[in-house]
Structures are given as C-alpha cells and as structure tokens.
Amino acid sequence: MSHDRVEPYSPRLILGLESSCDETSVAVLEEGRICRVNLVSSQVALHEKYGGVVPEVACRAHMEVLNPLLQEALDQAGTRLADLDAVAVTHGPGLVGAVLLGVAAAKTLAGLLEIPLIGVNHLEGHLYSTFLEHSDVELPLVCLLVSGGHTQIVEMTTPGAYRVLGSTRDDAAGEAFDKVAKALGLGYPGGPRVEEAARRGDPSRLHLPRPMLEAGCEFSFSGLKTAVLVHLQSPDRVSVDDLCASFQEAVVDVLVTKTLRAARECRARTVAVAGGVAANSALRHRMEEACRKAGIPLRSPSMGLCTDNAAMIARAGWELARLGLRSPLTLDARPNLPLSSRI
Amino acid sequence: MSALLAGLDCTGETWSVALVRGSECLAECGGLNARAHLRWLFPALVDCASRSGVRLADLESVAVTSGPGSFTGLRLGIVTARTMAQVLGCPVRPVDTLEALAWNVPESPRVVAALDARRGEVFAACFQTGTGGCLRLTEDRAFTPEELAGALESWGGGVLVGSGAVRYSPVLEKVPGVRILPPVFAQIRASAVALAGQRQAPLNPLDLVPTYLRSAEVQLHGVRP
Ligand SMILES: [Zn+2]
C-alpha cells in the first residue's frame, strides 16, 4: 500500500522532492500556493554526449546533488527543517534507481521530523503544475501530458479524480523528437534542436502522416518517425529545416486535434498542456489558437514549470493531504506506477 | 555514557540496520532481498530505536558502508545516512564495505573479503582481524576470479568471506591454504558497520562520497577501461 487514509489535513509548509529522470529538484511550497523556492539541477549536459539519458550516469548525479540541493533550498527559502509540515516525493514512474533516492531522503525526513510523508505520482505532479500559477482553473480540466517519457490526455473532474483518456501505444512525442534529431545529426536533447531548425523551415514542403488522427485519444508516433527516416533515404530530400518543420507540424497537429476533441467530449472548462514538450512554442501557439476558437480557456504552466520540478510535486502532495492521504514509511519506488484516481 | 551510533548497510543482496553504544549492539535488524532495501531500511531503524528504548534524535553519528557494492544499494545507504545526519545535525562515518565484511571473521591473520561485482568480477581486499578490530593489508580493487586466485596464491591463502568468494568458489578453493566461509557469513551486519565506524573520522554528510570502483561508462558499455 502506498497510501493510508487519514483525516484531511492542510500542511502549511510542504517540501517537494523530485528525482525521477534527469532533473533533481527540491521545492518549498507555502499554503499550497506560494512557491518559496523551486531549485532544479538539470543533467542535460551530462547526457548530451550519450545522446540520451543513461540511467547509471543519472543516478550518480542525483546522489551527488540531492542533499546539497536540499540544504540550498532550505537556505534560500529561509526555512528550517523543523518548520516543515509535510514531505511530498515522486515515487514513480521513472528510473527506479533515481526515484528511490528521492524516496529514501523523503522517508528519512518525514520519519525523523515526525511529519506526514506523501508519495506522489510524477504524472499527477504535471497535472497540478498548472494550478501553481493559475488560481482560476475550472474543472473539469483536460490536460495533455507530453514529455520525453509520456504522451497522454487526462481528464480531472475534481481534485484527485483523474481519468486517462488515451496514451501512446509506442513512442512518446518527446522521444520521437529525440529520435528524429538523432537521425538528422542535430544532437541531444532533440526537442529544442528540432524546434530551432523548424523555425527556419517550411512545414508545407513535405506532407508526413498524422498517425491515428481520427482514432480517439490514443497516440502512435513511431510510424511518423519511420516516415521521416524513410524520407531521408529518398533521392528528392527536402532540407533539414523543412523536414524538421514538417515533422513538428505533424506532431503538433495530432496533439492539438486530439486534445481539443477530448476537451469537447468531456465538456472541459479548462485545457492545459504540461510536461517537457509543452515548452515547444509551435505547440503552445497552435493550442492557444485552437482553444480560442473552441472557446475553452487554456491554462498551461509557464516554461519553467513544464519541465520536471519539485514545486508541482509539492502542490500535488498538498492536494493529496487535503484528500486525507499519507504514505507509510515503507513507501517504495514504483518505476511503472500508472496514473490512477485517488477517489 | 558512550556515544550512540547507527549503522546501515544495503550494498549487497542483504540489508541491515543497527544501533550500537560503546561495544554493545542495542538492536539489529535485517533481511534478504535487494528489492526490499528501500522499503525496509529506514522503517527498520525506527523499529530498532523503539525496541531498544533510545531516540534516533540522540544519535552521535551515522555509520554507513560507502562501497564498493551494488551501485543502487550503495547510493540508497548513502542518501539515507546523509539525510539522517542533515536532520540530526550530526556527522556521518563512512565504512569500507569490504572491511565491514571482514568483521564477520574474528581473529584471523588473513581475511580476504570478496564481493560479487557482477560482469565476471569481484571486488576484494585483504585484512588481518583481531580483538582490536580490522587491519587493512591491501587496497580495494576489482579482480576477475582468475586474477583473485593468482593474488591469493601470492598472499599464501587465507579465509575467504563474501558473495564473490561463494560465487567463484570452484576457481578460488583450488588455491592452497584457502578456506571459503558459507553464505551465512557473507551477510554484512550493520552492528559491525557501526563498530568499525567508531574508528573512522567523522565527516560532514555532504562530504561523504561512494567508492564505486567502476566508472558509469563501464556500466554502459560493459568493457573494462
Ligand atoms: Zn515529467
């Protein structure tokens, strides 16, 4: 069991810890709203030479920075450990050796300080990231969670009630960006590199498939990636910039179309896009346009809160506390933890 | 009253926690199964404290095996120890994993502690043990079983203890003067970690670094440097 039911509570100062992939992050959140500090130590530079996240390299880096970052976060927040009222931590999904370091620190803190421990699903964290900056998020919310590891559309009807409307059957959208960038020799991380090239290119130069555009909320990006690779072998190749623009256009088309369809079907009162790929400006613009046309407010987190961070974990922990949930000190890391409803 | 120390180890297939005061072990708890390390390590320590009637807040320091060993377990122990020390405002005391293992063989002129390092290697070092504790005779290093057999021959044999000794016993037991202890002695006891820790200089928790004895690249490509 990862949670016990207790009387609902509302921690004033909550510490958030995140270490599920390639960023280590520590945040202190006050009253569920005021982010006193949200420090993120990114490992992107470390993984660049490997062209992807290497688990052992990631875990070594997490271990090195976790405790110093905690100290720095407390100093910057002007908080002593004894002032904390709860600890929220990502306990999955993610790289098991990385997730467990955050969980180990969190349970030690919670146990010694005698405060509640709250295990948070990383995806749940992304879902709540939008609430950190917007106080006017009306439910139901339909959120596109899109990153290097995930692509799914989730509906939230009340806090803690989530329904996964669809997810990817193969590659995540961010993964497709990385693979295409690699094939084009653009380097790692692929998202920003492809986006930069796409800005100079013409998206109408090459028509690429929009996989499963008509089929519900399920995604598939591996066919699109293959189409790019096949085109690279053809004699009448378009330029790298045009190819990036055409590829990005196809991905964005699929993401926007499906998110809006889900929003209409769920009668959503808010749409959000969260996760690392949400930082892609083409996606942001197209989603804004589509939401404006549909008359549904778009409330996405700002760039800094799209990528992995501990403030969103603290916020999700605060919501779980108010639902009367806390985790036992036997909390485990769950590398494949699915997103499931809390109520 | 002598100082209260906690000992932690989860660098191998087993995990162990203990509370030690002076030369006495107040409580010790452990288990088999590397996949349960995270689940039980800290709760078991809380349990040890309540069963022995001491408060973790009174710890003078936290001793932890700092490697070599399973990378994931090594990091888990270190982050737990560092975080405990950060909260309690106390130092940590790193203990070499092979030395902690050698403590399982009291009073021997030559103990060879050998951990299974996977990838066809063992991490091993040679110690002399006695009532005063453990004296190191060689540095920790990675060996293939054949290399270790060669080293054992040059050392004139010894008592072998640890998962590496058990796994490669067919190769190692051929060396004259070698005796291999059964698997039950291959389990590191956290009480030994705490007792060995008493002799280690206290360290700021943020200065505690693991001894991997293998680069992350080797883990990635599976080749020796
Ligand atoms: Zn994420």
Side-chain angles (χ1 to χ4, degrees):
Chain A
M1 271 305 285
S2 57
H3 291 85
D4 297 328
R5 296 242 163 232
V6 294
E7 277 295 301
Y9 56 108
S10 187
R12 195 180 77 83
L13 272 189
I14 188 159
L15 181 82
L17 295 176
E18 155 66 36
S19 65
S20 65
C21 189
D22 58 348
E23 343 260 1
T24 322
S25 180
V26 183
V28 177
L29 191 67
E30 189 177 338
E31 305 287 7
R33 288 185 311 273
I34 306 150
C35 189
R36 283 208 191 172
V37 66
N38 184 26
L39 299 183
V40 180
S41 168
S42 172
Q43 305 173 1
V44 167
L46 277 181
H47 298 291
E48 199 172 342
K49 65 173 168 173
Y50 305 107
V53 175
V54 180
E56 179 60 20
V57 172
C59 293
R60 288 188 182 195
H62 281 299
M63 194 217 67
E64 269 173 41
V65 304
L66 186 61
N67 295 93
L69 202 66
L70 169 63
Q71 194 56 58
E72 200 184 323
L74 293 168
D75 291 347
Q76 284 194 22
T79 307
R80 292 170 311 142
L81 282 167
D83 298 332
L84 297 174
D85 299 299
V87 183
V89 64
T90 302
H91 74 119
L95 300 170
V96 65
V99 174
L100 70 78
L101 298 177
V103 174
K107 59 165 84 178
T108 306
L109 287 163
L112 292 176
L113 298 168
E114 298 180 3
I115 55 177
L117 171 71
I118 309 163
V120 171
N121 183 310
H122 178 80
L123 301 172
E124 190 172 31
H126 278 304
L127 268 186
Y128 287 108
S129 61
T130 191
F131 292 78
L132 284 165
E133 294 163 309
H134 304 287
S135 52
D136 60 343
V137 179
E138 289 192 47
L139 302 177
L141 162 76
V142 162
C143 182
L144 170 67
L145 286 178
V146 63
S147 71
H150 307 279
T151 303
Q152 42 183 256
I153 299 178
V154 182
E155 178 198 28
M156 189 197 294
T157 44
T158 62
Y162 330 122
R163 191 158 65 101
V164 179
L165 302 173
S167 47
T168 181
R169 295 186 177 174
D170 40 61
D171 295 349
E175 201 178 346
F177 271 95
D178 283 343
K179 287 177 176 171
V180 164
K182 198 169 191 172
L184 294 174
L186 295 177
Y188 176 87
R193 310 278 171 100
V194 170
E195 184 182 349
E196 199 190 314
R199 211 169 286 144
R200 299 184 295 260
D202 173 6
S204 64
R205 281 283 288 132
L206 178 70
H207 185 79
L208 289 164
R210 271 69 170 152
M212 299 169 62
L213 192 63
E214 301 311 319
C217 296
E218 297 286 307
F219 297 95
S220 164
F221 289 106
S222 88
L224 173 58
K225 171 202 69 191
T226 308
V228 171
L229 302 186
V230 167
H231 176 76
L232 281 176
Q233 305 301 319
S234 77
D236 47 352
R237 289 171 50 167
V238 301
S239 72
V240 167
D241 291 349
D242 289 344
L243 187 53
C244 285
S246 305
F247 165 76
Q248 181 175 277
E249 178 87 350
V251 174
V252 168
D253 239 13
V254 172
L255 294 175
V256 172
T257 306
K258 287 179 185 261
T259 305
L260 265 294
R261 184 188 300 143
R264 278 190 297 267
E265 279 169 14
C266 296
R267 300 176 187 282
R269 301 180 71 176
T270 312
V271 168
V273 189
V277 179
N280 181 290
S281 54
L283 175 60
R284 292 180 91 89
H285 288 143
R286 285 280 306 280
M287 196 67 87
E288 259 163 43
E289 216 178 85
C291 285
R292 195 174 334 106
K293 269 190 201 152
I296 310 172
L298 177 68
R299 296 284 180 270
S300 296
S302 59
M303 298 286 206
L305 292 174
C306 280
T307 42
D308 292 351
N309 66 87
M312 69 184 197
I313 302 303
R315 170 68 192 215
W318 183 76
E319 300 278 0
L320 296 186
R322 287 155 46 96
L323 292 171
L325 293 170
R326 65 182 283 178
S327 302
L329 289 181
T330 49
L331 182 71
D332 222 336
R334 301 269 310 274
N336 301 311
L337 184 69
L339 180 64
S340 50
S341 209
R342 301 294 190 175
I343 48 177
Chain B
M1 207 163 22
S2 349
L4 179 69
L5 262 80
L8 306 176
D9 172 71
C10 54
T11 53
E13 281 299 307
T14 59
W15 58 271
S16 176
V17 295
L19 292 170
V20 161
R21 195 191 290 282
S23 57
E24 275 183 337
C25 175
L26 306 180
E28 186 161 30
C29 180
L32 199 64
N33 183 2
R35 264 178 277 168
H37 283 6
L38 172 67
R39 181 182 287 258
W40 295 116
L41 195 73
F42 185 73
L45 197 61
V46 173
D47 193 45
C48 280
S50 74
R51 277 192 285 136
S52 55
V54 300
R55 298 177 338 133
L56 292 177
D58 293 333
L59 284 171
E60 183 265 351
S61 59
V62 181
V64 62
T65 39
S66 56
S70 135
F71 298 155
T72 298
L74 182 52
R75 285 187 283 262
L76 169 58
I78 287 184
V79 164
T80 302
R82 273 183 180 171
T83 309
M84 286 178 68
Q86 250 177 317
V87 177
L88 302 174
C90 74
V92 291
R93 295 175 190 268
V95 173
D96 182 275
T97 310
L98 296 173
E99 183 181 333
L101 185 55
W103 275 68
N104 284 356
V105 192
E107 312 259 353
S108 172
R110 200 173 301 108
V111 178
V112 178
L115 288 173
D116 180 5
R118 311 275 166 109
R119 299 185 180 277
E121 289 187 323
V122 291
F123 296 138
C126 193
F127 302 87
Q128 180 186 337
T129 60
T131 43
C134 206
L135 181 71
R136 178 181 287 277
L137 302 177
T138 70
E139 293 303 309
D140 293 355
R141 58 160 279 210
F143 297 85
T144 63
E146 293 71 26
E147 286 169 350
L148 183 59
L152 282 167
E153 225 166 314
S154 70
W155 296 333
V159 180
L160 261 71
V161 63
S163 54
V166 171
R167 176 161 184 184
Y168 295 107
S169 55
V171 181
L172 302 174
E173 67 194 359
K174 286 191 194 131
V175 180
V178 160
R179 192 158 66 88
I180 296 175
L181 296 187
V184 66
F185 291 94
Q187 302 186 2
I188 291 174
R189 288 170 300 118
S191 52
V193 176
L195 291 170
Q198 288 171 342
R199 295 145 198 264
Q200 299 297 324
L203 216 62
N204 179 318
L206 300 187
D207 293 335
L208 171 58
V209 290
T211 308
Y212 287 116
L213 289 189
R214 187 182 278 161
S215 73
E217 276 83 2
V218 176
Q219 196 70 4
L220 177 64
H221 301 297
V223 290
R224 295 183 73 180

